Amino acid sequence: MTARVLVGVKRVIDYAVKIRVKPDNTGVVTDGVKHSMNPFCEIAVEEAVRLKEKKLVQEVVAVSCGPQQVQETIRTALAMGADRGIHVEVSGKDYDSLGPLQVSKILAALAKKEEASLIILGKQAIDDDCNQTGQMTAALLDWPQGTFASELVIEGDKVKVVREIDGGLETIKLNMPVVVTADLRLNTPRYATLPNIMKAKKKKIANMKPGDLGVDMTSRVEVLRVDEPPQRQAGVKVESVEDLVSKLKEAGRI
Amino acid sequence: VHTVNCLRSFQVALCPMSSRTVTNIATEQAVNTGPMFPPLQTYSEEETMMREAVKKYAQERIAPFVSKMDENSSMDTEVISSLFEQGLMGIEIGTEYGGTGSSFFSSILVIEELAKVDPSVAVLCDIQNTLINTLLMNLGTEEQKEKYLMSLATDMVGSFCLSEAGSGSDAFSLKTKAEKHKDYYIINGSKMWISNAEQAGIFLVMANADPSAGYRGITCFIVEQNTAGLQIGKKENKLGLRASSTCPLTFDNVQVHEKNILGKVGQGYKYAIGMLNGGRIGIAAQMLGLAQGCFDHAVPYTKQRVQFGKRIFDFQGMQHQIAHVATQLEAARLLTYNAARLKEAGRPFIKEACMAKYFASEVATLTTSKCIEWMGGVGFTKDYPIEKYYRDCKIGTIYEGTTNIQLTTMAKLIDQEYDS
């Protein structure tokens, strides 16, 4: 039985919120805005908890990087069934410039420290859509990776992953330890039931800093400007195919 | 950021909820690093998580069934079992009995969130938590608790039977009798307007064991659903809350062992009053959720609907009405939450509970009526959820103590307050 699964969970602006760009174009408005766990991270937690329920793993550890508020996100993972949490404190400028590179360094360091043999992450976060953390973490650890997983099966010391790719589905077999990133159809996450929310209060969340893990938080990326997408222009209706072709030619499209 | 700091400091004061007393609050707040008196709408992390979980659950697992349940006048069994699964039917029951082990205020938040989606489902949850579970937890013998609490938390619905055809507001003039024979009682009579009757596994029945003593003979009996002589009549065809089964009951020589008496003989009237005081806050939460849910559906429509070249929301007449209703909602919320916090703090809360129930049910009536008007023609059709809220709200001013009873109770307390 695999000892430990590490699951990364990210606190992001809730998917239903209407995003507004800050007047100074340095980012989006986050103050007073509803936040929740990244939906792909929920799927990752659900998969890890299911593995534990099938007794294929012994312990699920939920990790999040960020300021004090991310503890809510970790607590949600605990309410879904994770055993304990780790809060890596990152705040201020470091948090503003926090990206996949730093997070993957943190996760790699934690995986070694916690002797995890499986890391499950969401395939990407809905705020930056980077789709990099899983891949970078695997590379830093020199572990195989199964990304865009729509199915995950542990077979002894190997992991079978069905990946959703452009051409359809690809099935691969990886030797543990591995990094897997969850895609939409991997599972449907459970609701935290009220009794589990109560139980989560007693579960431990450890605190640490990136420095404790020897991680350099310098960002190699600088955000220059954030703008709203351009307003959609109204379309034009045409009567016939000839009209369509001539209009496209006029607009220089063909 | 400041708000989060306040919330965190208040969290220090709020955990653990179950062992709070009035003196604890003073001591805890003395250590508090945030403001001494946080706003009423401040919640512990646990309460916030519960509210979010129930909101999500209600939207995904209850909302799709609401219209059909209303039309068929029947509660979907899937919905009821999912309520149990989520731990929503035993919120205050201890974990040793399979319950959630949370607080009264959490129940209030749960009822409010459920009512935003379906007030019928909310009332099922409200009766279970604020009436049935409370009575059993406060009055049950160890044997009764062992026998019933775990079922109530995991799969069994309970019903509370007080009203009769001849006694509604005048509850204690009830005529159902319980005659003692050795170590058991024989119950004869009938009850009316019993909610959850079709789904219930146990009935808490108020019957008079000593009519010569008047209301001091009223006793509470735990009657199991399959007891011989207990007949559940045809459910009422109601204006609103249609998915909640409301049935008459007849007791034809129903035999109940004396060990199924809850509390003491002749004390039933006291238990009923005591429990209804808390139940009142539950109904306030239901009406609050109903009104808010209706409002949340109507306002977006006013922002989309364009007439005379602008959104109908932009007409001053509409804005004033909407702002007025929003104010009433806020007031109802504060009354309800404060009554709940007072009860939890072990302070007197009866007057405030009456005020909350009375006010919230009036606000629900106002809100739903206005929302139909704001939606215009579509508000009047069954294709939109608004008209259901309008029908559902009316019972709020009637059940668990009519508005007139609430006002009379408040007046009595005010009378006492001014006794010099």
Side-chain angles (χ1 to χ4, degrees), chain A residues 15 31 34 42 68-69 71-72 75-77 79 189-195 197-198 200-201, chain B residues 4 8 45-46 49-50 52-54 56-57 60-61 85-88 91 100-102 110:
Chain A
Y15 75 91
D31 266 354
K34 179 158 186 245
E42 284 181 355
Q68 188 62 20
Q69 293 94 309
Q71 295 214 356
E72 291 162 24
R75 203 62 75 187
T76 306
R190 65 193 62 193
Y191 305 101
T193 64
L194 265 51
I197 292 174
M198 296 298 291
K201 283 187 356 179
Chain B
V4 174
R8 249 185 299 131
E45 195 186 317
E46 165 193 331
M49 283 179 75
M50 287 201 183
E52 285 305 311
V54 176
K56 202 166 156 197
Y57 152 79
E60 293 176 27
R61 302 276 292 273
E85 245 176 64
Q86 293 296 119
L88 302 179
I91 298 173
T100 299
S102 188
V110 169

mmCIF file of all heavy atoms in Angstrom, chain A residues 15 31 34 42 68-69 71-72 75-77 79 189-195 197-198 200-201, chain B residues 4 8 45-46 49-50 52-54 56-57 60-61 85-88 91 100-102 110:
data_model
loop_
_atom_site.group_PDB
_atom_site.id
_atom_site.type_symbol
_atom_site.label_atom_id
_atom_site.label_comp_id
_atom_site.label_asym_id
_atom_site.label_seq_id
_atom_site.Cartn_x
_atom_site.Cartn_y
_atom_site.Cartn_z
ATOM 1 N N TYR A 15 -15.435 30.542 -9.215
ATOM 2 C CA TYR A 15 -15.691 30.514 -10.666
ATOM 3 C C TYR A 15 -16.901 31.333 -11.080
ATOM 4 O O TYR A 15 -16.998 31.793 -12.206
ATOM 5 C CB TYR A 15 -15.849 29.063 -11.153
ATOM 6 C CG TYR A 15 -17.173 28.428 -10.797
ATOM 7 C CD1 TYR A 15 -18.272 28.503 -11.650
ATOM 8 C CD2 TYR A 15 -17.346 27.763 -9.592
ATOM 9 C CE1 TYR A 15 -19.485 27.936 -11.314
ATOM 10 C CE2 TYR A 15 -18.547 27.189 -9.253
ATOM 11 C CZ TYR A 15 -19.615 27.279 -10.112
ATOM 12 O OH TYR A 15 -20.810 26.720 -9.762
ATOM 13 N N ASP A 31 -10.007 41.935 -3.269
ATOM 14 C CA ASP A 31 -10.522 42.352 -1.963
ATOM 15 C C ASP A 31 -12.025 42.197 -1.880
ATOM 16 O O ASP A 31 -12.755 42.723 -2.725
ATOM 17 C CB ASP A 31 -10.178 43.828 -1.718
ATOM 18 C CG ASP A 31 -8.884 43.961 -0.929
ATOM 19 O OD1 ASP A 31 -8.350 42.922 -0.497
ATOM 20 O OD2 ASP A 31 -8.428 45.095 -0.756
ATOM 21 N N LYS A 34 -15.469 36.791 -3.399
ATOM 22 C CA LYS A 34 -15.606 35.414 -2.932
ATOM 23 C C LYS A 34 -14.511 34.528 -3.526
ATOM 24 O O LYS A 34 -14.277 34.538 -4.741
ATOM 25 C CB LYS A 34 -16.986 34.881 -3.315
ATOM 26 C CG LYS A 34 -17.214 33.451 -2.903
ATOM 27 C CD LYS A 34 -18.703 33.133 -2.792
ATOM 28 C CE LYS A 34 -18.869 31.746 -2.231
ATOM 29 N NZ LYS A 34 -19.469 30.829 -3.175
ATOM 30 N N GLU A 42 -10.277 20.437 -6.364
ATOM 31 C CA GLU A 42 -11.336 19.653 -5.705
ATOM 32 C C GLU A 42 -11.341 18.242 -6.257
ATOM 33 O O GLU A 42 -11.470 17.260 -5.514
ATOM 34 C CB GLU A 42 -12.722 20.273 -5.968
ATOM 35 C CG GLU A 42 -13.022 21.502 -5.168
ATOM 36 C CD GLU A 42 -14.430 22.044 -5.455
ATOM 37 O OE1 GLU A 42 -15.121 21.519 -6.344
ATOM 38 O OE2 GLU A 42 -14.795 23.001 -4.768
ATOM 39 N N GLN A 68 -2.705 33.766 5.208
ATOM 40 C CA GLN A 68 -3.566 33.159 6.220
ATOM 41 C C GLN A 68 -4.845 32.547 5.646
ATOM 42 O O GLN A 68 -5.271 31.475 6.053
ATOM 43 C CB GLN A 68 -3.920 34.253 7.252
ATOM 44 C CG GLN A 68 -4.651 33.789 8.468
ATOM 45 C CD GLN A 68 -3.856 32.809 9.285
ATOM 46 O OE1 GLN A 68 -2.625 32.724 9.163
ATOM 47 N NE2 GLN A 68 -4.538 32.028 10.085
ATOM 48 N N GLN A 69 -5.452 33.237 4.672
ATOM 49 C CA GLN A 69 -6.760 32.804 4.164
ATOM 50 C C GLN A 69 -6.744 31.418 3.527
ATOM 51 O O GLN A 69 -7.782 30.770 3.441
ATOM 52 C CB GLN A 69 -7.314 33.788 3.113
ATOM 53 C CG GLN A 69 -7.682 35.144 3.661
ATOM 54 C CD GLN A 69 -6.551 36.126 3.507
ATOM 55 O OE1 GLN A 69 -5.431 35.832 3.904
ATOM 56 N NE2 GLN A 69 -6.840 37.264 2.924
ATOM 57 N N GLN A 71 -5.859 28.821 4.666
ATOM 58 C CA GLN A 71 -6.216 27.786 5.648
ATOM 59 C C GLN A 71 -7.654 27.332 5.454
ATOM 60 O O GLN A 71 -7.989 26.177 5.692
ATOM 61 C CB GLN A 71 -6.023 28.314 7.073
ATOM 62 C CG GLN A 71 -4.569 28.597 7.373
ATOM 63 C CD GLN A 71 -4.198 28.329 8.814
ATOM 64 O OE1 GLN A 71 -5.053 27.994 9.631
ATOM 65 N NE2 GLN A 71 -2.928 28.465 9.131
ATOM 66 N N GLU A 72 -8.535 28.269 4.985
ATOM 67 C CA GLU A 72 -9.925 27.882 4.706
ATOM 68 C C GLU A 72 -9.951 26.795 3.636
ATOM 69 O O GLU A 72 -10.728 25.843 3.716
ATOM 70 C CB GLU A 72 -10.728 29.064 4.147
ATOM 71 C CG GLU A 72 -11.010 30.177 5.112
ATOM 72 C CD GLU A 72 -11.413 31.463 4.386
ATOM 73 O OE1 GLU A 72 -11.891 31.378 3.238
ATOM 74 O OE2 GLU A 72 -11.231 32.531 4.982
ATOM 75 N N ARG A 75 -8.816 23.588 5.025
ATOM 76 C CA ARG A 75 -9.871 23.061 5.883
ATOM 77 C C ARG A 75 -10.951 22.377 5.038
ATOM 78 O O ARG A 75 -11.513 21.361 5.425
ATOM 79 C CB ARG A 75 -10.474 24.229 6.673
ATOM 80 C CG ARG A 75 -11.180 23.938 7.946
ATOM 81 C CD ARG A 75 -10.432 23.328 9.055
ATOM 82 N NE ARG A 75 -9.518 24.191 9.778
ATOM 83 C CZ ARG A 75 -8.687 23.757 10.713
ATOM 84 N NH1 ARG A 75 -8.659 22.488 11.020
ATOM 85 N NH2 ARG A 75 -7.884 24.582 11.320
ATOM 86 N N THR A 76 -11.252 22.946 3.872
ATOM 87 C CA THR A 76 -12.237 22.317 2.985
ATOM 88 C C THR A 76 -11.732 20.959 2.531
ATOM 89 O O THR A 76 -12.495 19.988 2.480
ATOM 90 C CB THR A 76 -12.502 23.210 1.755
ATOM 91 O OG1 THR A 76 -12.863 24.504 2.198
ATOM 92 C CG2 THR A 76 -13.614 22.639 0.902
ATOM 93 N N ALA A 77 -10.429 20.878 2.204
ATOM 94 C CA ALA A 77 -9.864 19.583 1.802
ATOM 95 C C ALA A 77 -9.976 18.590 2.956
ATOM 96 O O ALA A 77 -10.301 17.416 2.756
ATOM 97 C CB ALA A 77 -8.407 19.755 1.381
ATOM 98 N N ALA A 79 -12.244 18.618 5.243
ATOM 99 C CA ALA A 79 -13.659 18.246 5.363
ATOM 100 C C ALA A 79 -14.067 17.242 4.291
ATOM 101 O O ALA A 79 -15.022 16.493 4.460
ATOM 102 C CB ALA A 79 -14.543 19.489 5.284
ATOM 103 N N PRO A 189 -16.466 15.630 -7.464
ATOM 104 C CA PRO A 189 -16.121 15.802 -6.050
ATOM 105 C C PRO A 189 -17.343 15.758 -5.144
ATOM 106 O O PRO A 189 -18.421 16.213 -5.523
ATOM 107 C CB PRO A 189 -15.485 17.206 -6.002
ATOM 108 C CG PRO A 189 -15.151 17.538 -7.398
ATOM 109 C CD PRO A 189 -16.116 16.797 -8.269
ATOM 110 N N ARG A 190 -17.148 15.199 -3.950
ATOM 111 C CA ARG A 190 -18.228 15.112 -2.965
ATOM 112 C C ARG A 190 -18.444 16.468 -2.291
ATOM 113 O O ARG A 190 -17.572 17.327 -2.329
ATOM 114 C CB ARG A 190 -17.857 14.096 -1.896
ATOM 115 C CG ARG A 190 -16.641 14.514 -1.058
ATOM 116 C CD ARG A 190 -16.103 13.365 -0.233
ATOM 117 N NE ARG A 190 -15.635 12.290 -1.084
ATOM 118 C CZ ARG A 190 -15.349 11.068 -0.661
ATOM 119 N NH1 ARG A 190 -15.497 10.772 0.620
ATOM 120 N NH2 ARG A 190 -14.940 10.141 -1.485
ATOM 121 N N TYR A 191 -19.645 16.615 -1.697
ATOM 122 C CA TYR A 191 -19.864 17.778 -0.842
ATOM 123 C C TYR A 191 -19.246 17.454 0.501
ATOM 124 O O TYR A 191 -19.274 16.321 0.931
ATOM 125 C CB TYR A 191 -21.351 18.016 -0.590
ATOM 126 C CG TYR A 191 -22.132 18.139 -1.833
ATOM 127 C CD1 TYR A 191 -22.879 17.073 -2.300
ATOM 128 C CD2 TYR A 191 -22.101 19.311 -2.568
ATOM 129 C CE1 TYR A 191 -23.570 17.174 -3.470
ATOM 130 C CE2 TYR A 191 -22.805 19.412 -3.732
ATOM 131 C CZ TYR A 191 -23.534 18.340 -4.182
ATOM 132 O OH TYR A 191 -24.227 18.439 -5.344
ATOM 133 N N ALA A 192 -18.742 18.459 1.175
ATOM 134 C CA ALA A 192 -18.352 18.231 2.559
ATOM 135 C C ALA A 192 -19.654 18.085 3.341
ATOM 136 O O ALA A 192 -20.490 18.979 3.326
ATOM 137 C CB ALA A 192 -17.560 19.428 3.052
ATOM 138 N N THR A 193 -19.866 16.927 3.980
ATOM 139 C CA THR A 193 -21.065 16.791 4.805
ATOM 140 C C THR A 193 -20.821 17.544 6.098
ATOM 141 O O THR A 193 -19.675 17.778 6.485
ATOM 142 C CB THR A 193 -21.364 15.326 5.153
ATOM 143 O OG1 THR A 193 -20.303 14.826 5.956
ATOM 144 C CG2 THR A 193 -21.525 14.488 3.904
ATOM 145 N N LEU A 194 -21.905 17.902 6.785
ATOM 146 C CA LEU A 194 -21.748 18.663 8.023
ATOM 147 C C LEU A 194 -20.935 17.903 9.069
ATOM 148 O O LEU A 194 -20.055 18.484 9.708
ATOM 149 C CB LEU A 194 -23.119 19.065 8.567
ATOM 150 C CG LEU A 194 -23.589 20.467 8.159
ATOM 151 C CD1 LEU A 194 -23.498 20.708 6.683
ATOM 152 C CD2 LEU A 194 -24.984 20.743 8.652
ATOM 153 N N PRO A 195 -21.180 16.597 9.279
ATOM 154 C CA PRO A 195 -20.348 15.886 10.255
ATOM 155 C C PRO A 195 -18.864 15.939 9.885
ATOM 156 O O PRO A 195 -18.018 16.062 10.769
ATOM 157 C CB PRO A 195 -20.866 14.448 10.191
ATOM 158 C CG PRO A 195 -22.244 14.568 9.690
ATOM 159 C CD PRO A 195 -22.263 15.740 8.763
ATOM 160 N N ILE A 197 -17.332 18.346 8.236
ATOM 161 C CA ILE A 197 -16.848 19.696 8.523
ATOM 162 C C ILE A 197 -16.474 19.788 9.996
ATOM 163 O O ILE A 197 -15.448 20.362 10.364
ATOM 164 C CB ILE A 197 -17.906 20.766 8.157
ATOM 165 C CG1 ILE A 197 -18.087 20.814 6.640
ATOM 166 C CG2 ILE A 197 -17.518 22.132 8.688
ATOM 167 C CD1 ILE A 197 -19.206 21.729 6.185
ATOM 168 N N MET A 198 -17.326 19.189 10.861
ATOM 169 C CA MET A 198 -17.032 19.200 12.290
ATOM 170 C C MET A 198 -15.753 18.419 12.584
ATOM 171 O O MET A 198 -14.912 18.848 13.378
ATOM 172 C CB MET A 198 -18.192 18.588 13.085
ATOM 173 C CG MET A 198 -19.484 19.358 13.001
ATOM 174 S SD MET A 198 -19.372 21.017 13.672
ATOM 175 C CE MET A 198 -19.184 20.660 15.396
ATOM 176 N N ALA A 200 -13.277 17.944 10.632
ATOM 177 C CA ALA A 200 -12.120 18.638 10.054
ATOM 178 C C ALA A 200 -11.505 19.615 11.040
ATOM 179 O O ALA A 200 -10.317 19.910 10.999
ATOM 180 C CB ALA A 200 -12.533 19.363 8.779
ATOM 181 N N LYS A 201 -12.338 20.128 11.950
ATOM 182 C CA LYS A 201 -11.832 21.093 12.937
ATOM 183 C C LYS A 201 -10.731 20.494 13.785
ATOM 184 O O LYS A 201 -9.843 21.185 14.247
ATOM 185 C CB LYS A 201 -12.967 21.556 13.863
ATOM 186 C CG LYS A 201 -13.853 22.559 13.213
ATOM 187 C CD LYS A 201 -14.912 23.216 14.053
ATOM 188 C CE LYS A 201 -15.102 22.785 15.460
ATOM 189 N NZ LYS A 201 -16.160 23.574 16.109
ATOM 190 N N VAL B 4 -11.015 40.398 7.496
ATOM 191 C CA VAL B 4 -10.546 39.042 7.788
ATOM 192 C C VAL B 4 -9.939 38.997 9.180
ATOM 193 O O VAL B 4 -10.143 38.060 9.933
ATOM 194 C CB VAL B 4 -9.501 38.592 6.746
ATOM 195 C CG1 VAL B 4 -8.916 37.262 7.139
ATOM 196 C CG2 VAL B 4 -10.151 38.504 5.373
ATOM 197 N N ARG B 8 -11.088 36.603 12.224
ATOM 198 C CA ARG B 8 -10.192 35.679 12.904
ATOM 199 C C ARG B 8 -10.236 35.898 14.404
ATOM 200 O O ARG B 8 -10.267 34.963 15.171
ATOM 201 C CB ARG B 8 -8.766 35.841 12.403
ATOM 202 C CG ARG B 8 -8.292 34.642 11.607
ATOM 203 C CD ARG B 8 -6.869 34.735 11.213
ATOM 204 N NE ARG B 8 -6.630 35.896 10.372
ATOM 205 C CZ ARG B 8 -5.658 36.765 10.585
ATOM 206 N NH1 ARG B 8 -4.816 36.611 11.558
ATOM 207 N NH2 ARG B 8 -5.511 37.809 9.808
ATOM 208 N N GLU B 45 -15.628 29.856 11.501
ATOM 209 C CA GLU B 45 -15.192 29.183 10.276
ATOM 210 C C GLU B 45 -16.089 27.987 9.989
ATOM 211 O O GLU B 45 -16.489 27.743 8.850
ATOM 212 C CB GLU B 45 -13.745 28.728 10.445
ATOM 213 C CG GLU B 45 -13.081 28.353 9.135
ATOM 214 C CD GLU B 45 -11.693 27.763 9.325
ATOM 215 O OE1 GLU B 45 -10.938 28.311 10.152
ATOM 216 O OE2 GLU B 45 -11.386 26.773 8.659
ATOM 217 N N GLU B 46 -16.444 27.271 11.053
ATOM 218 C CA GLU B 46 -17.314 26.100 10.928
ATOM 219 C C GLU B 46 -18.664 26.497 10.335
ATOM 220 O O GLU B 46 -19.180 25.852 9.424
ATOM 221 C CB GLU B 46 -17.480 25.515 12.324
ATOM 222 C CG GLU B 46 -18.594 24.535 12.534
ATOM 223 C CD GLU B 46 -18.802 24.320 14.031
ATOM 224 O OE1 GLU B 46 -17.809 24.454 14.773
ATOM 225 O OE2 GLU B 46 -19.926 24.027 14.446
ATOM 226 N N MET B 49 -18.299 27.356 6.649
ATOM 227 C CA MET B 49 -18.120 26.158 5.820
ATOM 228 C C MET B 49 -19.438 25.422 5.648
ATOM 229 O O MET B 49 -19.758 24.929 4.569
ATOM 230 C CB MET B 49 -17.089 25.222 6.446
ATOM 231 C CG MET B 49 -15.662 25.677 6.227
ATOM 232 S SD MET B 49 -14.497 24.560 6.998
ATOM 233 C CE MET B 49 -14.558 23.204 5.856
ATOM 234 N N MET B 50 -20.218 25.345 6.739
ATOM 235 C CA MET B 50 -21.501 24.648 6.661
ATOM 236 C C MET B 50 -22.426 25.339 5.692
ATOM 237 O O MET B 50 -23.093 24.713 4.871
ATOM 238 C CB MET B 50 -22.146 24.608 8.041
ATOM 239 C CG MET B 50 -21.451 23.653 8.941
ATOM 240 S SD MET B 50 -22.540 23.185 10.268
ATOM 241 C CE MET B 50 -21.425 22.166 11.187
ATOM 242 N N GLU B 52 -21.699 27.244 3.174
ATOM 243 C CA GLU B 52 -21.243 27.035 1.792
ATOM 244 C C GLU B 52 -21.605 25.648 1.303
ATOM 245 O O GLU B 52 -22.078 25.460 0.174
ATOM 246 C CB GLU B 52 -19.715 27.207 1.694
ATOM 247 C CG GLU B 52 -19.234 28.633 1.760
ATOM 248 C CD GLU B 52 -19.882 29.515 0.712
ATOM 249 O OE1 GLU B 52 -19.897 29.123 -0.475
ATOM 250 O OE2 GLU B 52 -20.419 30.570 1.074
ATOM 251 N N ALA B 53 -21.367 24.642 2.160
ATOM 252 C CA ALA B 53 -21.635 23.258 1.778
ATOM 253 C C ALA B 53 -23.124 23.063 1.489
ATOM 254 O O ALA B 53 -23.500 22.446 0.499
ATOM 255 C CB ALA B 53 -21.176 22.309 2.884
ATOM 256 N N VAL B 54 -23.994 23.611 2.369
ATOM 257 C CA VAL B 54 -25.436 23.422 2.187
ATOM 258 C C VAL B 54 -25.927 24.181 0.965
ATOM 259 O O VAL B 54 -26.778 23.698 0.215
ATOM 260 C CB VAL B 54 -26.215 23.877 3.436
ATOM 261 C CG1 VAL B 54 -27.713 23.768 3.200
ATOM 262 C CG2 VAL B 54 -25.818 23.047 4.624
ATOM 263 N N LYS B 56 -24.296 24.802 -1.783
ATOM 264 C CA LYS B 56 -23.905 24.044 -2.972
ATOM 265 C C LYS B 56 -24.792 22.807 -3.132
ATOM 266 O O LYS B 56 -25.318 22.525 -4.204
ATOM 267 C CB LYS B 56 -22.452 23.608 -2.788
ATOM 268 C CG LYS B 56 -21.728 23.296 -4.058
ATOM 269 C CD LYS B 56 -20.236 23.210 -3.785
ATOM 270 C CE LYS B 56 -19.573 22.360 -4.847
ATOM 271 N NZ LYS B 56 -18.252 21.904 -4.458
ATOM 272 N N TYR B 57 -24.967 22.092 -2.013
ATOM 273 C CA TYR B 57 -25.767 20.871 -2.024
ATOM 274 C C TYR B 57 -27.197 21.166 -2.461
ATOM 275 O O TYR B 57 -27.761 20.472 -3.291
ATOM 276 C CB TYR B 57 -25.712 20.232 -0.626
ATOM 277 C CG TYR B 57 -26.927 19.416 -0.281
ATOM 278 C CD1 TYR B 57 -27.090 18.129 -0.775
ATOM 279 C CD2 TYR B 57 -27.934 19.939 0.527
ATOM 280 C CE1 TYR B 57 -28.217 17.387 -0.473
ATOM 281 C CE2 TYR B 57 -29.059 19.201 0.832
ATOM 282 C CZ TYR B 57 -29.196 17.934 0.336
ATOM 283 O OH TYR B 57 -30.316 17.215 0.634
ATOM 284 N N GLU B 60 -27.508 21.861 -6.153
ATOM 285 C CA GLU B 60 -27.294 20.739 -7.067
ATOM 286 C C GLU B 60 -28.204 19.555 -6.816
ATOM 287 O O GLU B 60 -28.614 18.879 -7.746
ATOM 288 C CB GLU B 60 -25.827 20.298 -7.000
ATOM 289 C CG GLU B 60 -24.899 21.378 -7.565
ATOM 290 C CD GLU B 60 -23.421 21.041 -7.439
ATOM 291 O OE1 GLU B 60 -23.093 19.839 -7.397
ATOM 292 O OE2 GLU B 60 -22.608 21.971 -7.383
ATOM 293 N N ARG B 61 -28.548 19.281 -5.548
ATOM 294 C CA ARG B 61 -29.302 18.069 -5.252
ATOM 295 C C ARG B 61 -30.787 18.309 -4.953
ATOM 296 O O ARG B 61 -31.557 17.372 -4.919
ATOM 297 C CB ARG B 61 -28.693 17.336 -4.049
ATOM 298 C CG ARG B 61 -27.234 16.949 -4.201
ATOM 299 C CD ARG B 61 -27.040 15.638 -4.948
ATOM 300 N NE ARG B 61 -27.522 14.488 -4.217
ATOM 301 C CZ ARG B 61 -26.799 13.803 -3.332
ATOM 302 N NH1 ARG B 61 -25.577 14.183 -3.039
ATOM 303 N NH2 ARG B 61 -27.327 12.760 -2.716
ATOM 304 N N GLU B 85 -27.877 11.996 4.533
ATOM 305 C CA GLU B 85 -26.488 11.764 4.119
ATOM 306 C C GLU B 85 -25.590 12.939 4.441
ATOM 307 O O GLU B 85 -24.444 12.775 4.837
ATOM 308 C CB GLU B 85 -26.461 11.629 2.599
ATOM 309 C CG GLU B 85 -26.067 10.312 2.022
ATOM 310 C CD GLU B 85 -26.221 10.393 0.510
ATOM 311 O OE1 GLU B 85 -25.500 11.189 -0.112
ATOM 312 O OE2 GLU B 85 -27.095 9.677 0.005
ATOM 313 N N GLN B 86 -26.114 14.133 4.227
ATOM 314 C CA GLN B 86 -25.319 15.340 4.438
ATOM 315 C C GLN B 86 -25.212 15.712 5.906
ATOM 316 O O GLN B 86 -24.555 16.686 6.251
ATOM 317 C CB GLN B 86 -25.940 16.524 3.672
ATOM 318 C CG GLN B 86 -25.881 16.397 2.172
ATOM 319 C CD GLN B 86 -24.461 16.395 1.658
ATOM 320 O OE1 GLN B 86 -24.002 15.440 1.051
ATOM 321 N NE2 GLN B 86 -23.743 17.465 1.913
ATOM 322 N N GLY B 87 -25.895 14.975 6.767
ATOM 323 C CA GLY B 87 -25.824 15.273 8.194
ATOM 324 C C GLY B 87 -26.732 16.425 8.598
ATOM 325 O O GLY B 87 -26.561 17.021 9.666
ATOM 326 N N LEU B 88 -27.729 16.755 7.740
ATOM 327 C CA LEU B 88 -28.566 17.926 8.003
ATOM 328 C C LEU B 88 -29.754 17.624 8.901
ATOM 329 O O LEU B 88 -30.473 18.533 9.312
ATOM 330 C CB LEU B 88 -29.081 18.506 6.676
ATOM 331 C CG LEU B 88 -27.994 18.919 5.693
ATOM 332 C CD1 LEU B 88 -28.618 19.461 4.418
ATOM 333 C CD2 LEU B 88 -27.103 19.968 6.307
ATOM 334 N N ILE B 91 -28.360 17.919 13.267
ATOM 335 C CA ILE B 91 -27.313 18.937 13.389
ATOM 336 C C ILE B 91 -26.817 19.090 14.817
ATOM 337 O O ILE B 91 -25.618 19.178 15.064
ATOM 338 C CB ILE B 91 -27.804 20.282 12.833
ATOM 339 C CG1 ILE B 91 -28.116 20.132 11.342
ATOM 340 C CG2 ILE B 91 -26.784 21.388 13.044
ATOM 341 C CD1 ILE B 91 -28.759 21.349 10.714
ATOM 342 N N THR B 100 -24.351 15.343 13.962
ATOM 343 C CA THR B 100 -23.303 16.225 13.467
ATOM 344 C C THR B 100 -22.548 16.897 14.605
ATOM 345 O O THR B 100 -21.411 17.305 14.436
ATOM 346 C CB THR B 100 -23.926 17.280 12.541
ATOM 347 O OG1 THR B 100 -24.519 16.607 11.447
ATOM 348 C CG2 THR B 100 -22.914 18.278 12.040
ATOM 349 N N GLY B 101 -23.199 17.040 15.775
ATOM 350 C CA GLY B 101 -22.522 17.624 16.927
ATOM 351 C C GLY B 101 -22.249 19.108 16.785
ATOM 352 O O GLY B 101 -21.259 19.614 17.293
ATOM 353 N N SER B 102 -23.144 19.804 16.071
ATOM 354 C CA SER B 102 -22.925 21.240 15.915
ATOM 355 C C SER B 102 -23.941 22.027 16.739
ATOM 356 O O SER B 102 -24.572 21.491 17.641
ATOM 357 C CB SER B 102 -23.011 21.600 14.433
ATOM 358 O OG SER B 102 -22.623 22.935 14.241
ATOM 359 N N VAL B 110 -28.517 26.475 8.205
ATOM 360 C CA VAL B 110 -28.892 25.389 7.295
ATOM 361 C C VAL B 110 -30.325 25.581 6.808
ATOM 362 O O VAL B 110 -30.616 25.497 5.611
ATOM 363 C CB VAL B 110 -28.742 24.015 7.985
ATOM 364 C CG1 VAL B 110 -29.381 22.925 7.145
ATOM 365 C CG2 VAL B 110 -27.281 23.694 8.229
#
